[in-house]
Amino acid sequence: MSRRAAVLGHPISHSKSPALHRAAYAKLGLDIEYSAIDVTVERLPAFMAGLEAGDDWCGLSVTMPLKTAMVDEVDEVRGAGAFLGVINTVAFEDTGHGVRRVGHNTDVAGIVEAVRNAGVTEQPHSAVLGGGGTSAAAIAALRELGSKHVDVFVRDAGRAAEAKAAAAAVGLSIRLRPLAEAAEGMAGADLVISTLPPRAADGVAARLEQLPDDVWGVLLDVAYDPWPSRIAEAWHSRGGVVVPGLEMLLYQAVEQIRLFSGSDVTADVIDVMCDSVGLPRRV
């Protein structure tokens, strides 16, 4: 019997999630149809209310700007999502008495695996750009990597509630700083995670290009369209290591596929997922 899954967000046409999921399900021999659906925050309650159990939904990937709003649309939140208040995954579980919608946050695992794959060691001196839903996952990932403190650079400190809540939840010291100071602040960091939307970091990149000294750390830019981003190019030109957002997307999708299908995602499955979005196969 065919099952359904989808990625929800607004806008959504740029999403690489369909390519990743479809490649994995084909390799696994699973009949799961995966699509992209444009849903705004305002339309989300009606969309979720309209999902019928008979439609055989097995999962939803959740991207911006829905990661916080989706918490109110599920029956239960597990793992990191429960204390972050931010989820990017909904798994549909058959309890025998109906279908239960369970929220998860696989962004945390996606970030940790992506930066570890780039050689980031424990307790990195860290910085985060942006204070929204993805920054919450970044802060939780930094805590898992052993960081004790993080500087979070934001355009508006009044809109950084998710970052502050995440830091309090995981016990990480946080300092909010203006985005105008980001270039200088990130230049000396071991690990920088940019959670800003595409092109929103262009001003930071322009300032970074003007700094007198090179950088030596790792930059993960979660935005991947267009790629390379200007901040990624600036970081790389100054000697730093760049991790594309597709790496994070890959590893968070691996966790989603396990939740949606109940199948083990082996190395050969990850390889075809890499092929689908132009990433190098894992060694």
Side-chain angles (χ1 to χ4, degrees), residues 93-100:
E93 297 184 0
D94 189 347
T95 65
H97 304 285
V99 175
R100 189 166 182 80

Side-chain angles (χ1 to χ4, degrees), residues 128-196:
V128 171
L129 307 186
T134 305
S135 76
I139 288 166
L142 290 172
R143 188 69 184 89
E144 190 168 325
L145 290 164
S147 292
K148 301 293 192 297
H149 172 82
V150 61
D151 284 347
V152 178
F153 296 89
V154 293
R155 287 168 288 190
D156 181 356
R159 299 177 63 184
E162 289 155 320
K164 291 190 290 185
V170 301
L172 191 67
S173 168
I174 183 176
R175 178 170 59 154
L176 295 180
R177 298 177 61 183
L179 194 61
E181 299 176 1
E184 289 81 358
M186 64 192 280
D190 301 316
L191 174 60
V192 179
I193 303 174
S194 175
T195 68
L196 295 172

Side-chain angles (χ1 to χ4, degrees), residues 8 28 64 69 79 81 91 127 161 165 167 212:
L8 310 182
L28 290 164
M64 298 305 289

Side-chain angles (χ1 to χ4, degrees), residues 106-128:
T106 69
D107 280 340
V108 177
I111 292 169
V112 169
E113 291 304 315
V115 300
R116 278 182 174 160
N117 194 55
V120 171
T121 57
E122 295 299 310
Q123 299 185 356
H125 173 54
S126 308
V128 171

Side-chain angles (χ1 to χ4, degrees), residues 9-16 18 36 38 225:
H10 177 75
I12 201 63
S13 60
H14 68 286
S15 176
K16 304 291 187 184
D38 194 299
D225 184 26

Side-chain angles (χ1 to χ4, degrees), residues 43-68:
R43 289 182 49 231
L44 182 62
F47 176 85
M48 294 299 290
L51 296 183
E52 300 293 340
D55 289 338
D56 297 312
W57 286 93
C58 63
L60 297 171
S61 307
V62 183
T63 189
M64 298 305 289
L66 307 177
K67 293 183 179 184
T68 301

